Amino acid sequence: MFSSIRSNENRTLVKEMFRDSNLGRVVDLLQKFSELTLNLLMRMIARKRYCRERMMDLEARRFLEIVQESLAVSGALNLLDYSPVLRWIGFKGVEKRMVGLVKRRDELLQGLIDAHRRTKKDNTFDSGEETKKRKTLIDVQLSLQGREPEFCTDNMIKGIIVVSDIQVGKDRFLDESDLEELPYLQCVINETLRLYPANPLLIPHESSEDCTLGGLHVPRGMMLLVNPWAIHRVPNLWADPTSFKPERFEGVTKDNEGLNFKLLPFGYGRRSCPAMVMSMKVLGLALGTLIQCFEWDGVGEEKVDMMEGGGITMPKVQPLEAMYRPYVDMVDLLSRL
Ligand code: HEM
């Protein structure tokens, strides 16, 4: 589902980069990948393109601010979970910021749902093939709401939105169907997610019943934090754990869950990331296409600064910058975009 949107956004990214490549500028990849992710998600959710030619409309800015603030306060919230005393003293005003944030997020999402509802005034969702292809996530949820209003409430739809990231020749661009044939690309992505898991402590979980985990008694209501960042670096699970060695994943199938709980960038089991398959496709397609089209270089002699910042997703402190130029034999294809 949505593979044409992923492919289309990927081409747009490459097209813009090709257009700018003769400017000889350094490219800020954090910005490029943020725009790609935002456009992808918003087109799948609401058929909206938020970033266009480096311009963002007001709604897009509000959306981005909310996402960025959510990520920032989530990291601080983890500290509050460890130490309730910080909550009593109102550490960094986190709870207050969260209340304001939830209100702004709720308003924005309600606006998106209402706008979709207005365009489907008669509330009939015809089932023709074309209509099916053009449906967004909100359309699908609204049609479910028509059938099961008690279950599929507006609040549930908002929840779904909130939680909702070579060589194939020179005559065509890489597409998703090529990814299975590019095992090393998958190895590079796995190795990156091993050393730099986007959610280093997953999301806090709470046991709904008394249970026993690895021989330890876990009472009902206890918060459990899983630390993939540490698990991914345990020496008796991984040879030379701190080195970046994509080859270690050679021969491993695309199923990340098949690694005996060693590799957990998307969590595991019932509450693992529901977007794992899609995210692996997006990562493969974007990274693969950028490698297929452009030659890359560092900005200076310095190594890339990998210092990790705060927040739930452990962003790099210094955004990733690089120099690039199109491969000569890709220019023809790129010019036709
Ligand atoms: C590379 C990209 C991504 C990574 C590494 C990632 C990773 C994770 C992780 C580690 C969790 C917590 C799992 C746990 O606590 O056991 C999670 C949860 C979740 N993720 Fe992702 N995620 C990614 C992209 C996305 C995207 C694009 C969406 C939505 C479109 C999404 C939606 C969710 C949802 C809904 C949950 C909560 C699942 C639940 O609690 O049942 N993720 N993700």
Side-chain angles (χ1 to χ4, degrees), residues 171-199:
D171 52 351
R172 68 174 180 86
F173 290 107
L174 185 81
D175 68 38
E176 279 180 12
S177 62
D178 297 311
L179 294 178
E180 295 222 356
E181 307 305 319
L182 297 168
Y184 196 73
L185 181 69
Q186 297 301 322
C187 293
V188 169
I189 293 171
N190 277 339
E191 182 67 339
T192 308
L193 290 171
R194 182 185 73 83
L195 277 174
Y196 308 103
N199 277 12

Coordinates of all heavy atoms in Angstrom, one line a residue, residues 171-199:
D171 N 19.6 3.2 -16.5 CA 18.4 3.6 -17.4 C 17.1 3.7 -16.6 O 16.1 4.0 -17.2 CB 18.3 2.6 -18.5 CG 18.2 1.2 -18.0 OD1 18.5 1.0 -16.8 OD2 17.9 0.3 -18.8
R172 N 17.2 3.4 -15.3 CA 16.0 3.5 -14.5 C 16.4 3.7 -13.1 O 17.5 3.4 -12.7 CB 15.0 2.3 -14.7 CG 15.6 1.1 -14.0 CD 14.6 0.0 -14.1 NE 15.1 -1.3 -13.5 CZ 15.1 -1.5 -12.2 NH1 14.6 -0.7 -11.3 NH2 15.6 -2.7 -11.7
F173 N 15.4 4.3 -12.3 CA 15.7 4.5 -10.9 C 15.4 3.2 -10.1 O 14.5 2.4 -10.5 CB 14.9 5.6 -10.3 CG 15.3 7.0 -10.8 CD1 14.5 7.7 -11.7 CD2 16.5 7.6 -10.4 CE1 14.9 8.9 -12.2 CE2 16.9 8.8 -10.8 CZ 16.1 9.5 -11.8
L174 N 16.1 3.1 -9.0 CA 15.8 2.0 -8.1 C 14.4 2.0 -7.7 O 13.8 3.1 -7.5 CB 16.7 2.3 -6.8 CG 16.7 1.3 -5.7 CD1 17.7 0.2 -6.1 CD2 17.2 1.9 -4.4
D175 N 13.7 0.9 -7.5 CA 12.4 0.9 -6.9 C 12.3 -0.2 -5.8 O 13.2 -1.0 -5.7 CB 11.3 0.9 -7.9 CG 11.2 -0.4 -8.7 OD1 11.4 -1.5 -8.0 OD2 10.9 -0.4 -9.9
E176 N 11.2 -0.2 -5.1 CA 11.1 -1.0 -3.9 C 11.3 -2.5 -4.3 O 11.9 -3.3 -3.5 CB 9.7 -0.9 -3.3 CG 9.7 0.3 -2.4 CD 8.3 0.5 -1.7 OE1 7.5 -0.4 -1.8 OE2 8.1 1.6 -1.2
S177 N 10.9 -2.9 -5.5 CA 11.1 -4.3 -5.8 C 12.6 -4.7 -6.0 O 12.9 -5.9 -6.0 CB 10.3 -4.7 -7.1 OG 10.9 -3.9 -8.1
D178 N 13.5 -3.7 -6.1 CA 14.9 -4.1 -6.2 C 15.5 -4.3 -4.8 O 16.6 -4.9 -4.8 CB 15.7 -2.9 -6.8 CG 15.3 -2.6 -8.2 OD1 15.2 -3.5 -9.0 OD2 15.0 -1.4 -8.5
L179 N 14.9 -3.9 -3.8 CA 15.5 -3.9 -2.5 C 16.0 -5.3 -2.1 O 17.0 -5.5 -1.5 CB 14.6 -3.3 -1.4 CG 14.4 -1.8 -1.6 CD1 13.5 -1.2 -0.5 CD2 15.7 -1.0 -1.6
E180 N 15.2 -6.3 -2.4 CA 15.5 -7.7 -2.0 C 16.8 -8.1 -2.7 O 17.5 -9.0 -2.2 CB 14.4 -8.7 -2.4 CG 13.1 -8.4 -1.6 CD 12.5 -9.7 -1.1 OE1 12.9 -10.7 -1.5 OE2 11.5 -9.5 -0.4
E181 N 17.1 -7.5 -3.8 CA 18.3 -7.9 -4.6 C 19.5 -7.1 -4.1 O 20.6 -7.2 -4.7 CB 18.1 -7.7 -6.1 CG 16.9 -8.3 -6.7 CD 16.8 -9.8 -6.4 OE1 17.9 -10.4 -6.5 OE2 15.8 -10.3 -6.0
L182 N 19.3 -6.3 -3.1 CA 20.5 -5.4 -2.6 C 20.8 -5.8 -1.2 O 20.6 -4.9 -0.3 CB 20.1 -3.9 -2.8 CG 19.9 -3.5 -4.2 CD1 19.2 -2.1 -4.3 CD2 21.2 -3.5 -5.0
P183 N 21.2 -7.0 -0.9 CA 21.4 -7.4 0.5 C 22.4 -6.5 1.3 O 22.2 -6.3 2.5 CB 21.9 -8.8 0.4 CG 22.4 -9.0 -1.0 CD 21.6 -8.0 -1.8
Y184 N 23.4 -6.0 0.6 CA 24.4 -5.2 1.4 C 23.8 -3.9 1.9 O 24.1 -3.4 3.0 CB 25.6 -4.9 0.6 CG 26.8 -4.5 1.4 CD1 27.4 -5.4 2.3 CD2 27.2 -3.1 1.5 CE1 28.5 -5.0 3.1 CE2 28.2 -2.7 2.4 CZ 28.8 -3.7 3.2 OH 29.8 -3.3 4.0
L185 N 22.9 -3.3 1.1 CA 22.2 -2.1 1.5 C 21.4 -2.4 2.8 O 21.4 -1.6 3.7 CB 21.2 -1.7 0.4 CG 20.4 -0.4 0.6 CD1 21.4 0.8 0.7 CD2 19.4 -0.2 -0.5
Q186 N 20.7 -3.6 2.8 CA 20.0 -3.9 4.0 C 20.9 -4.1 5.2 O 20.6 -3.8 6.3 CB 19.2 -5.2 3.8 CG 18.1 -5.1 2.7 CD 17.1 -4.1 3.0 OE1 16.7 -3.9 4.2 NE2 16.6 -3.3 2.0
C187 N 22.1 -4.7 4.9 CA 23.1 -4.9 6.0 C 23.5 -3.5 6.6 O 23.7 -3.4 7.8 CB 24.4 -5.6 5.4 SG 24.2 -7.2 4.9
V188 N 23.7 -2.5 5.7 CA 24.2 -1.2 6.1 C 23.1 -0.6 7.0 O 23.3 0.0 8.1 CB 24.4 -0.3 4.9 CG1 24.6 1.2 5.4 CG2 25.7 -0.7 4.2
I189 N 21.8 -0.8 6.6 CA 20.7 -0.2 7.4 C 20.6 -0.9 8.7 O 20.5 -0.3 9.8 CB 19.4 -0.3 6.6 CG1 19.5 0.6 5.4 CG2 18.2 0.1 7.5 CD1 18.3 0.5 4.4
N190 N 20.7 -2.2 8.7 CA 20.7 -3.0 10.0 C 21.8 -2.6 10.9 O 21.6 -2.4 12.1 CB 20.8 -4.5 9.7 CG 19.4 -5.1 9.3 OD1 18.4 -4.6 9.6 ND2 19.5 -6.3 8.7
E191 N 23.0 -2.4 10.4 CA 24.1 -2.1 11.2 C 24.0 -0.7 11.8 O 24.3 -0.4 12.9 CB 25.4 -2.2 10.4 CG 26.7 -1.9 11.2 CD 27.0 -2.9 12.3 OE1 26.1 -3.6 12.7 OE2 28.2 -3.0 12.7
T192 N 23.4 0.2 11.0 CA 23.1 1.6 11.5 C 22.1 1.5 12.6 O 22.3 2.2 13.7 CB 22.6 2.5 10.3 OG1 23.5 2.4 9.3 CG2 22.5 3.9 10.8
L193 N 21.0 0.8 12.4 CA 20.0 0.7 13.5 C 20.5 -0.1 14.7 O 20.1 0.1 15.8 CB 18.8 0.0 12.9 CG 17.9 0.7 11.9 CD1 16.9 -0.1 11.3 CD2 17.3 2.0 12.5
R194 N 21.5 -0.9 14.5 CA 22.1 -1.6 15.7 C 22.9 -0.6 16.5 O 22.7 -0.4 17.7 CB 23.1 -2.7 15.2 CG 23.7 -3.5 16.4 CD 24.7 -4.5 15.9 NE 26.0 -3.9 15.4 CZ 27.0 -3.5 16.2 NH1 26.9 -3.7 17.5 NH2 28.1 -3.0 15.7
L195 N 23.8 0.2 15.9 CA 24.7 1.1 16.6 C 23.9 2.3 17.1 O 24.2 2.9 18.1 CB 25.9 1.5 15.8 CG 27.0 0.5 15.8 CD1 28.1 0.9 14.9 CD2 27.6 0.3 17.2
Y196 N 23.0 2.7 16.3 CA 22.2 4.0 16.6 C 20.7 3.8 16.6 O 20.0 4.3 15.7 CB 22.7 5.1 15.6 CG 24.2 5.2 15.5 CD1 24.9 4.7 14.4 CD2 24.9 5.8 16.6 CE1 26.2 4.8 14.4 CE2 26.3 5.9 16.5 CZ 26.9 5.4 15.4 OH 28.3 5.4 15.4
P197 N 20.2 2.9 17.5 CA 18.8 2.7 17.4 C 18.0 4.0 17.7 O 18.4 4.8 18.5 CB 18.5 1.7 18.6 CG 19.7 1.9 19.5 CD 20.9 2.3 18.6
A198 N 17.0 4.2 16.8 CA 16.3 5.5 16.9 C 15.6 5.7 18.2 O 15.4 6.8 18.7 CB 15.3 5.6 15.8
N199 N 15.1 4.6 18.9 CA 14.5 4.7 20.2 C 15.4 3.9 21.2 O 15.1 2.7 21.4 CB 13.1 4.0 20.2 CG 12.1 4.9 19.7 OD1 12.4 6.0 19.2 ND2 10.8 4.6 19.9

